[in-house]
Amino acid sequence: KLSEVESFGLPNLEMMACGGAVITSAFSGQEEYAVNGENAFVVDIGDLEKATQRLQTLVHDTQQRKRFGESGLATARKRSWDTLKPDFAEALEQMAVKLPDGNKESCLPRLETLALGFRAFEELTAQLRYLNTWKKQIQARERSWIYRIANKLYKLRGKKADS
């Protein structure tokens, strides 16, 4: 990920979460989690030669790839939403309490919007968890021998009815 400017660099963190090795440029968005030589190779912005060298290193050094994969996974776990959301909620609450009087009127609507977005995200996440559980139950049912036999009988019955 050789961006020059980016707010956070989520693809780098996603790669870490997949256990992959990261080569990234030193843009400001990833500086809080990508540590050169520990969980990624960080090269200067625009330094394609260095990025190519680092890529060759990863291609040939399986131990380095493995180290980056393991430390990247640990980094991604620290940045998961479940880990960060209590801190985020607390930060919103503290901001609402500590705003200077002159800024309170202009900032509170924004904080309320963030809080609404946060709640909507939580509801959506819960719905996705429910749907994933439901999908797994359907898949397990379809793998059962009872379901397969019943499905074959149903199909046979349907063919006889058509003829």
Side-chain angles (χ1 to χ4, degrees), residues 14-63:
E14 290 170 334
M15 177 58 83
M16 289 178 180
C18 293
V22 171
I23 301 172
T24 186
S25 58
F27 64 90
S28 62
Q30 51 72 36
E31 64 191 5
E32 76 175 63
Y33 65 85
V35 181
N36 189 39
E38 288 185 30
N39 61 6
F41 280 134
V42 182
V43 300
D44 290 332
I45 292 173
D47 193 346
L48 296 179
E49 185 176 324
K50 187 65 145 185
T52 302
Q53 291 170 359
R54 295 303 192 189
L55 179 59
Q56 289 298 321
T57 299
L58 290 175
V59 166
H60 298 292
D61 188 347
T62 57
Q63 291 303 316

Side-chain angles (χ1 to χ4, degrees), residues 3 13 48 68 91 125:
S3 299
L13 198 56
L48 296 179
F68 277 7
T125 302

Side-chain angles (χ1 to χ4, degrees), residues 73-86:
L73 277 170
T75 298
R77 284 186 187 111
K78 291 177 191 170
R79 300 284 186 287
S80 78
W81 182 244
D82 288 336
T83 302
L84 295 177
K85 70 183 173 187

Side-chain angles (χ1 to χ4, degrees), residues 75-153:
T75 298
R77 284 186 187 111
K78 291 177 191 170
R79 300 284 186 287
S80 78
W81 182 244
D82 288 336
T83 302
L84 295 177
K85 70 183 173 187
D87 294 338
F88 179 69
E90 183 180 326
L92 287 178
E93 290 170 7
Q94 288 179 3
M95 286 172 65
V97 171
K98 295 181 179 181
L99 284 172
D101 288 333
N103 291 331
K104 200 172 265 190
E105 287 74 27
S106 65
C107 292
L108 278 179
R110 293 180 187 150
L111 290 176
E112 289 168 357
T113 302
L114 277 173
L116 286 172
F118 180 73
R119 281 196 285 281
F121 178 81
E122 284 293 298
E123 289 173 14
L124 182 60
T125 302
Q127 290 173 356
L128 286 173
R129 274 194 298 269
Y130 170 78
L131 288 174
N132 280 332
T133 302
W134 179 71
K135 178 182 170 186
K136 287 176 185 174
Q137 290 171 346
I138 296 290
Q139 290 170 339
R141 183 191 74 194
E142 289 176 354
R143 284 190 302 266
S144 73
W145 65 272
I146 294 172
Y147 178 84
R148 290 195 311 260
I149 291 172
N151 196 32
K152 285 189 186 230
L153 289 172

